[in-house]
Amino acid sequence: MLRCARWTLPALLCTGLIACGDDSQAGGETDGGSSSGTSNGPTPGSTNPTVGTSSSGGSTTLTTTTDPVDPDSTGPSDDTSTGGDPTGPDVPVVDCDDFPSSIDSDSLMAHLAQLQAIGDEHGNRSVGTPGFDASAEYVRARLASAGYDSAVDQDFEATVFEELSPTEFSSSAPIEQTYVLEDDFFTARYSGAGNVTAQVVPIDINLSGNNDNNSGCQPNDFDGFPAGAIALIQRGSCSFINKVNRAEQAGASGVILFNQGGNDNRLDAFLAGIDPDNTNNPPTVITSYAVGAALAQAGTVEATIDVDAVTEDRSTRNILVERVGTDPSQVVMFGAHLDSVAAGPGINDNGTGSMAMLAIAERLAQCDPARTVRFAWWGAEEIGLVGSRHYVDTLAESERESLMFYLNFDMIGSPNFVRFVHDGDGSRYGNAGAPGSDALELFFHEYFEALGLPVTEARFDGRSDYGPFLDADIPTGGLFTGAEGSKSNQEVELYGGEQGEPYDACYHLACDVDETIEVEEYTRVATSVATAVSRFGIEAVSYTHLTLPTSDL
């Protein structure tokens, strides 16, 4: 039994997640079954949101209209339902007083199957491509079918890198090798295009000890560099942008960046970007430590890099929709990025987060929340949080004042999962969010503890779309289940799984498909998100510790 005395912020949650003095709990795991019936639109008496945009001084403002609602009701006036959308899963009739119970694994996985089909057709769902556009249209169509009169397309420009055909990379004697894309190497995002064959010249490389180095970071690293050669540069000390820019200025015809080595986390090839504003970037690849070290020790060796790609500004979008509450001056916000990397369909990263948002939004269309609940599907996360940053940067002052918090969900079905909650109070990693972020972390701790399940804090480092909210001092947080990091022995003791293996071995790879999803954990996390929507949106539990508008809800 959890008691009110455990809460450091009792006004926030004591009337919410756990009934004080009672062993009962709201929300929890689903059995994976589907509820009977379908509904794809608001029932009579429910709020019918119309969402549009207006601009003033560079700001984008959501405008909404609502039908009259009964302030004492948290749900529709009857349980009738309309026919299902022919594409994707049916939406069950929702008991708004037990909203989390409406989440089921079959619906979540059916949504992911639709994204998988889009990825299969288009190769990926990366921003600025037909795959992303098809993903966005699927979300919009489902929202319209659920009864949202319109969803906002918030357009913005993003610098997009697209490979038109697979990059080829090889070396000649004494190392005659044709390297394998996504195994031995990746094409650097924003690599220049071209086919170059030239001598490989190592730049201030260290292959001993812990492999600390300044390779390519100092201006004199390129003294005597033969113009037209391919620069071999080791990861470490400064950014890839600095390294490649210096190589380009020294006359390199191509660049091979390789992982640093020295520990297990810096051995593999990986995907990263270089300067999107440098129109003279040479053809550039990023290799494993083994490939780079072999080339560095080979003596005189030639390599060939053939990149067929384009970098250009393209118009893309975020999708925003909201369910207007009885107090529209208080807004709680939930979001996930919709785009994938170019390597594949991106089902865990981040089909899981974006489809959980969609399933929850579809169900919320049947309920009358006390607070306004806003959902976002971000574009261009994978190339630098571009969409979410655009949203935050263009928020009207009135919207910023009414926004109580933002919760982010990125990769929530990892096969070798750990249940990570962002360290909002800074108690583990020292980087706290704005006041209120601590309460969001606490909410998820207490939710999972009530189920007898562990939770582990994750660095609040701005790596996903909560970052712009963090920078803007807006309370934020969220959940994820792990990416490329290796699972520790302690984490195996808590969660099971494979020690020393990545949380998601297919992170940013073509194998990130729906068959790899840990379905039970995905459903469990999605249900926790639905519980947060219920507590803070439908029920509007007190959040008065924030210096935000308050109400008598």
Side-chain angles (χ1 to χ4, degrees):
M1 180 177 72
L2 300 179
R3 298 174 299 171
C4 285
R6 291 202 60 194
W7 298 102
T8 58
L9 295 168
L12 169 64
L13 291 173
C14 233
T15 59
L17 178 62
I18 304 299
C20 297
D22 189 344
D23 286 329
S24 64
Q25 65 188 52
E29 297 179 69
T30 67
D31 61 6
S34 299
S35 301
S36 61
T38 62
S39 175
N40 286 292
T43 57
S46 67
T47 306
N48 189 11
T50 301
V51 186
T53 58
S54 62
S55 297
S56 175
S59 297
T60 300
T61 304
L62 288 175
T63 59
T64 60
T65 61
T66 64
D67 294 332
V69 296
D70 177 2
D72 296 323
S73 171
T74 61
S77 59
D78 62 55
D79 61 357
T80 60
S81 62
T82 61
D85 188 325
T87 302
D90 289 342
V91 180
V93 172
V94 175
D95 177 359
C96 297
D97 293 325
D98 187 18
F99 184 75
S101 68
S102 68
I103 303 300
D104 66 278
S105 59
D106 289 345
S107 295
L108 293 169
M109 295 307 294
H111 277 313
L112 291 184
Q114 295 298 317
L115 291 192
Q116 181 69 57
I118 291 169
D120 291 343
E121 179 179 356
H122 298 286
N124 60 53
R125 301 185 305 100
S126 61
V127 69
T129 69
F132 177 79
D133 292 340
S135 302
E137 287 308 312
Y138 177 69
V139 171
R140 286 183 57 87
R142 292 292 304 197
L143 292 173
S145 183
Y148 292 93
D149 287 348
S150 64
V152 173
D153 274 357
Q154 186 186 39
D155 295 330
F156 59 92
E157 293 289 315
T159 302
V160 174
F161 174 75
E162 182 180 4
E163 292 186 70
L164 305 177
S165 61
T167 294
E168 296 181 358
F169 172 43
S170 62
S171 59
S172 60
I175 304 177
E176 294 187 6
Q177 182 74 43
T178 298
Y179 301 103
V180 179
L181 184 64
E182 297 185 10
D183 186 1
D184 299 316
F185 77 99
F186 286 86
T187 312
R189 189 183 299 120
Y190 308 121
S191 167
N195 186 334
V196 299
T197 299
Q199 180 183 350
V200 176
V201 177
I203 306 296
D204 193 20
I205 284 167
N206 176 27
L207 304 181
S208 62
N210 60 8
N211 292 23
D212 284 348
N213 67 86
N214 292 302
S215 177
C217 296
Q218 308 301 321
N220 60 5
D221 284 348
F222 292 90
D223 288 352
F225 181 83
I230 294 174
L232 177 65
I233 305 177
Q234 189 174 11
R235 179 183 186 181
S237 296
C238 67
S239 71
F240 283 169
I241 289 177
N242 289 341
K243 293 173 185 282
V244 175
N245 283 349
R246 292 191 186 281
E248 181 266 318
Q249 293 162 8
S253 64
V255 175
I256 302 168
L257 299 164
F258 71 99
N259 212 343
Q260 181 175 342
N263 66 69
D264 290 344
N265 291 324
R266 295 212 165 188
L267 296 178
D268 295 337
F270 62 99
L271 181 63
I274 55 178
D275 190 351
D277 297 322
N278 186 349
T279 58
N280 296 315
N281 279 332
T284 303
V285 295
I286 304 172
T287 80
S288 66
Y289 173 73
V291 169
L295 290 171
Q297 298 175 92
T300 302
V301 61
E302 283 192 345
T304 296
I305 305 173
D306 186 2
V307 178
D308 180 19
V310 61
T311 297
E312 60 187 10
D313 289 341
R314 295 181 185 175
S315 179
T316 188
R317 53 183 158 162
N318 301 318
I319 299 172
L320 303 165
V321 75
E322 62 185 27
R323 189 76 168 145
V324 179
T326 55
D327 183 355
S329 70
Q330 293 193 343
V331 179
V332 293
M333 188 171 184
F334 303 79
H337 75 86
L338 185 58
D339 60 315
S340 74
V341 295
I347 300 303
N348 190 32
D349 185 15
N350 183 36
T352 52
S354 59
M355 292 303 97
M357 292 302 100
L358 181 57
I360 293 168
E362 288 177 316
R363 287 154 174 75
L364 189 65
Q366 300 177 41
C367 303
D368 297 332
R371 292 191 179 107
T372 293
V373 181
R374 183 173 300 158
F375 297 97
W377 291 265
W378 306 116
E381 188 270 355
E382 294 289 5
I383 60 173
L385 318 182
V386 181
S388 54
R389 193 165 302 281
H390 174 77
Y391 173 81
V392 171
D393 288 347
T394 58
L395 269 177
E397 185 60 30
S398 59
E399 284 203 321
R400 184 182 290 263
E401 291 175 355
S402 66
L403 184 57
M404 300 185 71
F405 63 75
Y406 169 73
L407 281 171
N408 189 71
F409 303 95
D410 190 352
M411 300 183 68
I412 56 174
S414 303
N416 196 28
F417 71 89
V418 166
R419 196 172 299 112
F420 288 111
V421 60
H422 293 301
D423 185 21
D425 63 4
S427 61
R428 181 165 184 177
Y429 293 106
N431 185 25
S437 303
D438 52 350
L440 298 173
E441 177 191 352
L442 178 63
F443 173 83
F444 288 112
H445 271 290
E446 294 287 357
Y447 173 85
F448 287 110
E449 286 175 11
L451 298 175
L453 297 171
V455 185
T456 300
E457 293 87 357
R459 291 184 185 276
F460 218 19
D461 56 8
R463 183 173 169 178
S464 190
D465 285 304
Y466 64 86
F469 294 85
L470 186 67
D471 293 342
D473 290 327
I474 295 170
T476 187
L479 299 170
F480 87 115
T481 55
E484 78 278 24
S486 297
K487 199 167 197 175
S488 68
N489 181 60
Q490 182 182 18
E491 290 167 343
V492 170
E493 290 177 357
L494 289 172
Y495 300 97
E498 297 294 327
Q499 180 183 353
E501 295 299 318
Y503 305 118
D504 185 351
C506 288
Y507 172 68
H508 281 185
L509 298 176
C511 59
D512 183 6
V513 297
D514 55 356
E515 293 179 354
T516 69
I517 300 304
E518 215 302 322
V519 178
E520 183 178 3
E521 179 62 14
Y522 178 33
T523 307
R524 185 181 292 120
V525 173
T527 302
S528 77
V529 181
T531 303
V533 170
S534 179
R535 294 295 175 264
F536 297 128
I538 296 175
E539 301 173 24
V541 297
S542 178
Y543 211 66
T544 54
H545 65 289
L546 295 178
T547 54
L548 292 168
T550 59
S551 73
D552 296 324
L553 293 172

